[in-house]
Amino acid sequence: MVEARLRVIYGDTDQMGVVYYANYFRYFEFARSEFFRGHGGSYRELESTGLLLPVVEASARYKASARYDDLLVIRTTLSELRRASLVFTYELLRDGPSPTLLCTGRTMHACVGRDGKPQRMPEAIARLKALDV
């Protein structure tokens, strides 16, 4: 599991200062990038090999609202690894003395080549799953 932190900016909120629901998926994307960095790599490096990990399914369960200027912690886990797909799960919390769970989420990704055809998951990602258990 890798933890990423970010502060909610005003542009991510509605007129009431509450984070617009679709922005949680942007936060999940940020956390995925930090997951790869936290394991010594980057998504850019994966792309340079000709492989891509497009999102093919995404879900979020909202528990409480994130608000302008909140410091968020996003915990990311590589929870499933298949031959040509993987699943990340997320817990998004408001940081503080008593962290508050705001949202949980899940994204499934296909492993495809630049031609869009399924490819076998690279060994480097299989090793990440072993580390993330």
Side-chain angles (χ1 to χ4, degrees), residues 22-64:
N23 284 322
Y24 289 84
F25 293 102
R26 291 180 49 247
Y27 300 159
F28 295 166
E29 182 177 354
F30 167 75
R32 280 193 309 276
S33 292
E34 293 303 304
F35 179 89
F36 284 109
R37 283 188 190 94
H39 287 297
S42 73
Y43 187 73
R44 181 177 288 211
E45 290 170 4
L46 179 68
E47 284 186 331
S48 72
T49 70
L51 295 177
L52 306 170
L53 296 175
V55 174
V56 296
E57 185 179 306
S59 63
R61 295 187 67 112
Y62 305 100
K63 311 285 186 185

Side-chain angles (χ1 to χ4, degrees), residues 62-119:
Y62 305 100
K63 311 285 186 185
S65 297
R67 299 183 173 279
Y68 170 66
D69 209 35
D70 280 349
L71 181 58
L72 304 179
V73 176
I74 308 133
R75 296 178 179 157
T76 306
T77 303
L78 177 54
S79 58
E80 293 179 40
L81 182 66
R82 299 181 185 140
R83 185 174 109 46
S85 66
L86 53 80
V87 174
F88 286 100
T89 54
Y90 312 90
E91 290 184 330
L92 191 143
L93 302 101
R94 180 181 301 110
D95 201 12
S98 299
T100 304
L101 180 63
L102 303 178
C103 181
T104 60
R106 178 181 184 275
T107 55
M108 178 182 282
H109 304 258
C111 182
V112 300
R114 294 208 181 277
D115 60 1
K117 293 185 178 172
Q119 301 290 318

